Amino acid sequence: MAALGDGDLEALEGLYDRYSTLVFSVSLRVLHDTQLAEDVVQEVVLRLWRQPSSYDPTRGRFISWLMSVTRNRSLDELRRVTRRLRSEDLEEEPGRELPAPEGVDDPQAGLLLAERRAAVRAAMTRLPPAQRRVIELAYFGGLTQVEIAQATGDPLGTVKTRVRLGMQKLRESLEEFINEDGAVDDGGGIWT
Amino acid sequence: MTPEEREELLAGYALGSLSTPDALDADRLVRTDASAEAELRAFREIADLIALSVPLRQADPALRQRVMSAARQGRVWRPALWRRYWPVAGLAASLLIVTFWAVSLQTSLVHLRQQTEQLSAIVEADAKRLDKLGDPTAPGVQQANAIGVPLSQLQTTASDQQVLIAVQTDPAAILGQFDTTAASHGASGQYVWSNNADAGVVTVRDLPQLPLGGAYRVWLEDGLSRLMVARSFAPDRNGKAEIVLQADGKMKPVRIYVVAASRADDPRSTGPVVLLADVTRASLSSTLVP
């Protein structure tokens, strides 16, 4: 991060090469629009370039911060264009899925990050579909629980229970990736 | 509150999926219960991991070159509008209407700016007459009428001026920063609050744009958890706004919330808490006037 502060373009290229695919993928999952997702990648990367201090290492790991910024910026864009698309209504996202085997040879994010991705994907897959759905609508769709209840036709209490149970199960499944102090361990690297 | 309800509240808060009343409850719980704060932190870490579940997609390889080029030139690359609004761009008739509307709006803004400048001159030149705004024969009111300023606008401006003066001259006024939330998205702000004047001023910046029809609201909460909508406002296009607040005298605010409401025309509509401030927290406060 200090190198970014010094205006080191090679550091920025390193950051881009390591994380841009992940940032793009998350943004695409929220926006379902390749062009808008690329805009978000550009904004997130240039924000770090212009203001490296926007990431505060004392408040958590870089990957957590980056995912949070990416999601929030994508949701802002989603609300701005008032595209409230929901995952169940969508065809496969545009773009080419990377052929690399998950968790073994991820060319963009590094082995440790890929392992975590594989673990999170597995944990999400193990959730009952109804629980996974409400969590994805909240996280990627930016919907409130009231809006989820309206969208799915389920009682609000049921939505709340599904969120709770789903988050509990994710917590149990992913416990090994959370340090004792609550910070997510993203496996070290230049940004931790 | 049962343990299950408590966990539902914290899990939903971590996901940013609570409506405003529930978010306020969650915030209150976290501030008063250390174990709840730890639980929320753990849920938030899980929420951040959810992003990693997406299948990887390849962006346009040319994007890397565009980003690096923009970084080298020290400027922000912005996508061409035609690409973002391509479906709309084909509606030439709508474009004409929008153009006409923009010209009209510009004219109105110029007129409004002139009125505001004249109004400010009136108020500044004759502060002693502010209490006479209800009198149609008062010189300041007659002058306002002459330039076409509605009396209600004059009274609001004058009232805000009085509040500002009262807050700024209160040696015990408190100055503090707003805390951010999961919905802040880079927004920040500060406040000045005078318990003696039951009033304050909030300054915010970088507020996220709201969908069409939405509005920001400032809520005040007292020690008995009673809430009062202090003011609705719309930030400028840079997300900046200054809001003058006046409590009703029946409540002593201990917290200030900036909330994104989904509907500007419905005072009951709620949304996420974007910024919050604990007026009583001494560690973040300092007196405004030594």
Side-chain angles (χ1 to χ4, degrees):
Chain A
M1 204 55 63
L4 280 187
D6 293 339
D8 184 348
L9 265 174
E10 284 187 13
L12 183 69
E13 288 172 346
L15 180 140
Y16 184 93
D17 291 341
R18 182 166 185 180
Y19 292 111
S20 63
T21 296
L22 187 55
V23 171
F24 174 74
S25 303
V26 171
S27 187
L28 186 63
R29 178 67 177 78
V30 173
L31 291 162
H32 301 282
D33 183 305
T34 304
Q35 191 58 57
L36 294 177
E38 288 184 356
D39 292 350
V40 169
V41 174
Q42 172 121 2
E43 286 186 35
V44 169
V45 172
L46 288 183
R47 175 179 171 184
L48 261 176
W49 174 245
R50 291 193 304 266
Q51 293 178 290
S53 59
S54 57
Y55 164 61
D56 179 359
T58 64
R59 300 188 67 174
R61 298 296 177 124
F62 178 76
I63 190 66
S64 298
W65 176 86
L66 185 65
M67 291 300 95
S68 177
V69 168
T70 301
R71 181 222 181 192
N72 292 340
R73 185 64 199 87
S74 302
L75 287 176
D76 283 347
E77 190 67 12
L78 181 69
R79 291 174 181 130
R80 196 184 69 76
V81 298
T82 60
R83 290 180 184 176
R84 287 270 180 170
L85 299 183
R86 300 184 183 91
S87 57
E88 69 272 22
D89 299 330
L90 296 165
E91 301 297 327
E92 192 70 5
E93 293 98 335
R96 182 170 62 85
E97 183 161 14
L98 294 182
E102 290 291 345
V104 178
D105 188 22
D106 186 330
Q108 301 293 321
L111 181 61
L112 290 172
L113 184 57
E115 283 177 357
R116 276 147 187 81
R117 289 194 57 250
V120 174
R121 294 195 73 174
M124 289 291 283
T125 304
R126 282 196 297 272
L127 289 180
Q131 291 174 18
R132 186 170 69 239
R133 189 177 183 216
V134 294
I135 287 177
E136 288 184 337
L137 285 172
Y139 189 84
F140 294 112
L143 300 183
T144 65
Q145 293 176 345
V146 173
E147 290 169 328
I148 292 171
Q150 290 168 348
T152 60
D154 295 321
L156 179 58
T158 302
V159 171
K160 289 182 176 181
T161 301
R162 285 174 178 164
V163 167
R164 172 173 61 86
L165 294 176
M167 290 291 279
Q168 264 181 352
K169 285 172 186 163
L170 286 178
R171 195 171 163 182
E172 289 163 10
S173 299
L174 300 170
E175 201 165 11
E176 62 181 300
F177 298 123
I178 300 183
N179 293 331
E180 287 180 358
D181 62 356
V184 171
D185 179 1
D186 64 356
I190 58 174
W191 304 110
T192 59
Chain B
M1 183 184 294
T2 66
E4 287 77 19
E5 288 171 339
R6 171 192 160 103
E7 201 158 41
E8 283 172 3
L9 199 63
L10 295 173
Y13 198 38
L15 275 175
S17 63
L18 298 183
S19 56
T20 302
D22 285 345
L24 295 179
D25 286 345
D27 177 71
R28 200 173 296 122
L29 174 64
V30 170
R31 285 171 183 278
T32 56
D33 185 336
S35 65
E37 185 184 5
E39 201 168 346
L40 174 66
R41 195 165 57 240
F43 273 133
R44 279 197 168 140
E45 295 295 344
I46 293 299
D48 289 337
L49 280 176
I50 292 171
L52 300 182
S53 68
V54 298
L56 290 184
R57 303 285 173 179
Q58 181 72 64
D60 181 357
L63 177 62
R64 186 182 194 277
Q65 180 56 37
R66 292 203 298 269
V67 173
M68 295 309 152
S69 177
R72 267 186 219 101
Q73 295 172 18
R75 63 178 173 81
V76 181
W77 169 84
R78 295 197 181 282
L81 284 177
W82 67 265
R83 209 165 43 202
R84 183 173 285 186
Y85 299 107
W86 175 247
V88 180
L91 302 174
S94 298
L95 189 59
L96 285 174
I97 293 170
V98 169
T99 304
F100 176 76
W101 174 82
V103 170
S104 302
L105 178 63
Q106 183 64 27
T107 306
S108 300
L109 285 174
V110 169
H111 181 60
L112 183 60
R113 193 176 301 122
Q114 288 170 344
Q115 281 190 337
T116 303
E117 287 170 0
Q118 290 169 316
L119 184 59
S120 298
I122 294 169
V123 171
E124 286 174 11
D126 204 356
K128 289 181 181 176
R129 285 190 212 135
L130 291 178
D131 59 345
K132 295 186 178 178
L133 287 176
D135 179 2
T137 63
V141 176
Q142 289 180 338
Q143 199 172 346
N145 288 335
I147 61 174
V149 176
L151 184 60
S152 60
Q153 183 183 335
L154 185 64
Q155 288 172 325
T156 301
T157 305
S159 171
D160 285 354
Q161 291 265 354
Q162 286 178 311
V163 169
L164 277 170
I165 292 168
V167 171
Q168 288 175 343
T169 55
D170 179 6
I174 298 165
L175 172 66
Q177 300 284 334
F178 275 99
D179 292 335
T180 56
T181 71
S184 296
H185 302 181
S188 60
Q190 59 182 22
Y191 65 91
V192 183
W193 185 261
S194 164
N195 280 320
N196 294 326
D198 281 328
V201 182
V202 165
T203 307
V204 292
R205 56 185 172 276
D206 297 327
L207 283 175
Q209 272 192 318
L210 292 179
L212 197 62
Y216 282 98
R217 293 205 174 95
V218 182
W219 293 55
L220 301 176
E221 181 187 26
D222 70 4
L224 300 174
S225 300
R226 291 177 302 191
L227 288 166
M228 168 187 153
V229 178
R231 202 141 186 178
S232 297
F233 69 96
D236 67 15
R237 65 178 182 175
N238 295 318
K240 290 182 181 176
E242 290 183 5
I243 310 102
V244 176
L245 307 175
Q246 179 75 66
D248 62 5
K250 296 175 185 170
M251 67 180 294
K252 288 288 181 194
V254 295
R255 291 192 190 86
I256 306 172
Y257 299 92
V258 177
V259 174
S262 56
R263 289 176 58 93
D265 57 352
D266 181 359
R268 295 167 302 176
S269 72
T270 60
V273 177
V274 179
L275 295 168
L276 59 95
D278 188 337
V279 180
T280 61
R281 200 159 31 153
S283 60
L284 283 182
S285 303
S286 59
T287 53
L288 179 63
V289 182

